Amino acid sequence: MHHPTDADALCRLSATETAALIRSRELSPVEVTEAVLDRMAAVDGELGAFCTPTPELAREAARRVADDIVAGRETGPLAGVPMGVKDLISTKGIRTTSGSRAYADFVPDEDDVVVERSVAAGAVVLGKTNATEFGYSATGHNPLFPPTRNPWDLALTPGGSSAGSAAAVAAGLGPVALGSDGGGSVRVPAALCGIFGFKASMGRVPVYPGCRDERYPGVSGWESIEHIGPLTRTVADAALMLSVLAGPDPRDRHSIPCADVDWTGRRPVGRLRVAYSPDLNGRVAVDPEVRRAVDAAAKVLERDLGADVEEVDLQLPDYSRAFGAIVAAETDLTGMRAMADRLGSDMSPHLTALLRTPWTAEQFTDANMVRKAVVNRVARLMATYDLILTPTTTVPAFPVGVQGPELIDGRMVSTDHWTSFAGLANLTGQPAASLPAGRTEGGLPIGVQLIGRHLADGALLDVCAAYEEAAPWREAWPTSI
């Protein structure tokens, strides 16, 4: 490995390369951290990826790693790797607002499990990345901070709710970032920003205190659909992150073992059967350029990976309304309604609308029945197919500040439906990834989604890595910053 000296080149290194160069002492963790902090200072004023940057803490962490290496002490697999942490994920001693005025000055007294594990593995935390209020939207604006913008076009949204994490990684402000995903919030911004986003099977990566700490209304929701996952520029980096993040923790009752997954090992991909659903059987309007990109991805799977790709009617009920009801049922409605009364117009309007809905017990139980129907239908489907292929989102990036796209091919698109493909894997708990699949004629990234069999996380990563080799995306670099 050669020693990259140019600061921009350091920002373009993957986490895997950075960690290897630091381990071999060809690169100093301090040098990498300074290069990324310099880039943050230069571009993040416009981009708005970090809402609470922590440059001094990052410098201290980098120096600690450097000292450990000089002293010959054991360092972890992420030693010296700069990392952003979504503002919904708890960080001890670092302000964590969840994008809400209710938590504008909140400083947690403990790290989330994933932060604890990343820091123990040597990661250098650059700060907190911007998110929508409590993660209740797939865009990048909230009532507290300037909106996060898409590094490919600053007038457009990066997607969300892990908006800042995706924008940061795409823009070279750290090779990896942590996001959370309750309905596509890792995969949606990965697609709109042209990077890789991975949501492991439910329970592989433990979540605590997010979702679980009943003291904090707004933060304590989404329990049966929430996941935390990495946003990266390469598949290998996501695998490296998962090797650190995965594994059970007693504080998360949903967490499961992962000794059955070799996260960083690569296995040859066997003969795959892929169920392709380009538009949920006509139920959602998909932008023609997105459709073309996903058709092209299907061809890559067939031609380069030898897969059998079959267009399939997934025969799913419309689960978009059920999704909203599940989210409402799992939140602290009492606590959040009191918060909405207190904040008034200082709370996101779409969130206030959800909380003001006069939900009934029947709506909540009906939503659970829809979910069961979805889970059972997909389980039967996966007895025949290894993977489901869909667009990640129905559209490329749209303007900053709105909740969703308005027209596709002249058809009105509800803000619920543009992320329908991504929400499916949250209902079922299956592993799912968004992979870059080229760009629109105007140069905007497009993502395709691959959903694996339940608990087949390693197999899904293998396919993602093989796809990345066949249709590389890594050299794509945002044009507007």
Side-chain angles (χ1 to χ4, degrees):
M1 257 185 215
H2 66 288
H3 182 298
T5 48
D6 162 52
D8 243 18
L10 291 179
C11 294
R12 289 181 185 229
L13 287 175
S14 70
T16 308
E17 291 164 337
T18 302
L21 286 165
I22 287 171
R23 244 190 332 272
S24 64
R25 303 194 185 195
E26 291 170 74
L27 188 58
S28 148
V30 173
E31 193 184 352
V32 178
T33 299
E34 287 301 338
V36 174
L37 291 175
D38 284 351
R39 187 162 168 79
M40 278 171 70
V43 306
D44 203 39
E46 280 186 292
L47 191 61
F50 286 85
C51 53
T52 305
T54 56
E56 288 315 313
L57 291 175
R59 288 185 175 105
E60 276 172 40
R63 282 195 295 271
R64 274 198 305 277
V65 173
D67 291 346
D68 285 345
I69 288 167
V70 169
R73 287 190 284 270
E74 190 66 32
T75 55
L78 299 178
V81 173
M83 177 181 84
V85 179
K86 184 179 181 177
D87 199 29
L88 267 60
I89 298 173
S90 185
T91 42
K92 183 177 181 177
I94 301 172
R95 179 175 69 156
T96 301
T97 74
S98 300
S100 176
R101 291 197 176 274
Y103 290 89
D105 304 309
F106 178 60
V107 178
D109 54 8
E110 60 188 335
D111 278 329
D112 195 284
V113 179
V114 288
V115 175
E116 201 176 89
R117 289 179 177 178
S118 300
V119 169
V124 172
V125 174
L126 299 165
K128 304 307 288 286
T129 59
N130 204 27
T132 53
E133 190 166 12
F134 300 120
Y136 280 69
S137 158
T139 56
H141 57 278
N142 62 48
L144 200 54
F145 299 110
T148 303
R149 296 175 179 275
N150 193 310
W152 292 87
D153 182 338
L154 295 171
L156 305 181
T157 183
S161 61
S162 307
S165 285
V169 170
L173 310 183
V176 297
L178 294 173
S180 58
D181 188 315
S185 285
V186 161
R187 291 158 290 145
V188 167
L192 268 48
C193 291
I195 60 171
F196 184 65
F198 192 87
K199 177 194 85 58
S201 293
M202 178 79 190
R204 290 284 193 203
V205 176
V207 182
Y208 177 84
C211 298
R212 317 270 183 247
D213 194 332
E214 77 291 347
R215 293 175 297 171
Y216 302 119
V219 183
S220 57
W222 302 67
E223 189 182 22
S224 73
I225 49 177
E226 182 70 299
H227 305 66
I228 288 179
L231 288 134
T232 63
R233 292 193 293 270
T234 70
V235 176
D237 281 4
L240 176 66
M241 288 295 290
L242 287 160
S243 73
V244 168
L245 303 176
D249 186 282
R251 294 166 291 184
D252 177 355
R253 67 194 174 95
H254 294 295
S255 68
I256 56 171
C258 60
D260 57 322
V261 184
D262 174 8
W263 295 105
T264 53
R266 280 284 305 279
R267 294 144 296 266
V269 172
R271 188 67 181 269
L272 299 167
R273 293 206 61 190
V274 181
Y276 177 22
S277 177
D279 57 9
L280 295 177
N281 218 39
R283 202 168 64 234
V284 293
V286 175
D287 180 279
E289 289 193 281
V290 171
R291 175 67 196 261
R292 277 197 293 277
V294 189
D295 284 346
K299 294 277 190 300
V300 171
L301 290 172
E302 287 176 327
R303 188 186 63 235
D304 296 282
L305 276 66
D308 295 318
V309 180
E310 201 181 318
E311 198 169 314
V312 169
D313 175 4
L314 299 181
Q315 296 176 351
L316 297 172
D318 184 346
Y319 48 81
S320 56
R321 279 215 182 98
F323 210 99
I326 287 167
V327 168
E330 294 196 351
T331 198
D332 176 357
L333 266 181
T334 304
M336 285 194 79
R337 282 172 170 169
M339 188 191 294
D341 290 342
R342 197 170 73 247
L343 290 176
S345 60
D346 279 341
M347 186 179 258
S348 305
H350 64 274
L351 183 49
T352 307
L354 181 93
L355 297 172
R356 293 271 177 260
T357 302
W359 297 101
T360 64
E362 287 77 11
Q363 282 174 298
F364 288 157
T365 54
D366 288 352
N368 275 327
M369 293 312 110
V370 170
R371 179 190 191 145
K372 285 176 184 178
V374 167
V375 170
N376 293 336
R377 168 64 195 144
V378 175
R380 286 192 288 273
L381 191 76
M382 299 315 276
T384 307
Y385 297 96
D386 302 288
L387 299 163
I388 297 172
L389 170 68
T390 72
T392 306
T393 58
T394 61
V395 287
F398 47 86
V400 141
V402 295
Q403 278 307 103
E406 287 177 358
L407 290 172
I408 300 177
D409 255 10
R411 282 171 64 183
M412 275 302 290
V413 180
S414 110
T415 52
D416 292 339
H417 279 88
W418 75 278
T419 60
S420 285
F421 294 111
L424 175 59
N426 296 86
L427 293 176
T428 66
Q430 286 163 260
S434 180
L435 302 89
R439 294 198 285 288
T440 65
E441 280 173 24
L444 297 176
I446 297 171
V448 302
Q449 175 176 240
L450 285 173
I451 301 175
R453 284 183 167 148
H454 185 49
L455 304 182
D457 304 60
L460 177 58
L461 275 169
D462 291 337
V463 175
C464 291
Y467 181 94
E468 181 185 25
E469 272 165 23
W473 60 73
R474 184 164 170 200
E475 293 314 310
W477 201 248
T479 42
S480 75
I481 52 161

